[in-house]
Amino acid sequence: QVQLVESGGGSVQAGGSLRLSCAASGDTGSSYCMGWFRQARAKEREGVAVILSDGTTTYADTVKGRFTISKDIAKSTLYLQMDSLQPEDTAMYFCGADLYLPPVLCRQGTHFGLWGQGTQVTVSL
């Protein structure tokens, strides 16, 4: 069973940057749908960015142009580079993975069968 551990969260001022990492204990290879979702207090879970098994990426409109998802298969690590952070990006960020999701569900970024414990991102004015 693959386990996911996120890191890299923290507190930054608006306009700042953070890089989240997600280390997978097992070999996720290139077949997994992997991505990031976030959940802010009193809000629904929101898919942020995903990488499909074919390497294509999808971003939520709210982060497009500011966030970049990438994956190092050799290191079994998923990254989320977050630039131009805004207070509305404040949330707990989770890394997710799933071997069986079809692309249409993978792109939504909220249907992963595996996810980590999350890492908190707080953006202040």
Side-chain angles (χ1 to χ4, degrees):
Q1 177 92 354
V2 172
Q3 292 186 328
L4 307 172
V5 179
E6 302 95 335
S7 62
S11 297
V12 296
Q13 291 188 323
S17 299
L18 285 173
R19 188 194 196 202
L20 305 184
S21 298
C22 171
S25 61
D27 180 10
T28 53
S30 61
S31 301
Y32 276 75
C33 162
M34 295 193 74
W36 296 89
F37 62 93
R38 64 188 181 186
Q39 185 143 29
R41 188 172 298 179
K43 291 189 177 181
E44 293 186 356
R45 180 181 297 186
E46 178 187 18
V48 174
V50 297
I51 291 184
L52 282 72
S53 58
D54 64 0
T56 58
T57 58
T58 301
Y59 296 91
D61 288 342
T62 52
V63 307
K64 202 172 293 183
R66 301 187 297 121
F67 290 11
T68 304
I69 189 171
S70 61
K71 182 179 178 181
D72 187 329
I73 295 175
K75 295 182 179 180
S76 295
T77 302
L78 185 73
Y79 302 99
L80 184 68
Q81 177 66 40
M82 306 187 295
D83 299 317
S84 301
L85 283 162
Q86 300 301 316
E88 51 266 34
D89 295 316
T90 296
M92 185 73 82
Y93 283 71
F94 298 85
C95 166
D98 199 293
L99 184 59
Y100 305 106
L101 277 179
V104 64
L105 291 181
C106 177
R107 290 190 188 97
Q108 294 181 18
T110 57
H111 297 284
F112 303 108
L114 301 169
W115 57 87
Q117 83 290 347
T119 186
Q120 177 68 36
V121 171
T122 303
V123 185
S124 58
L125 288 171

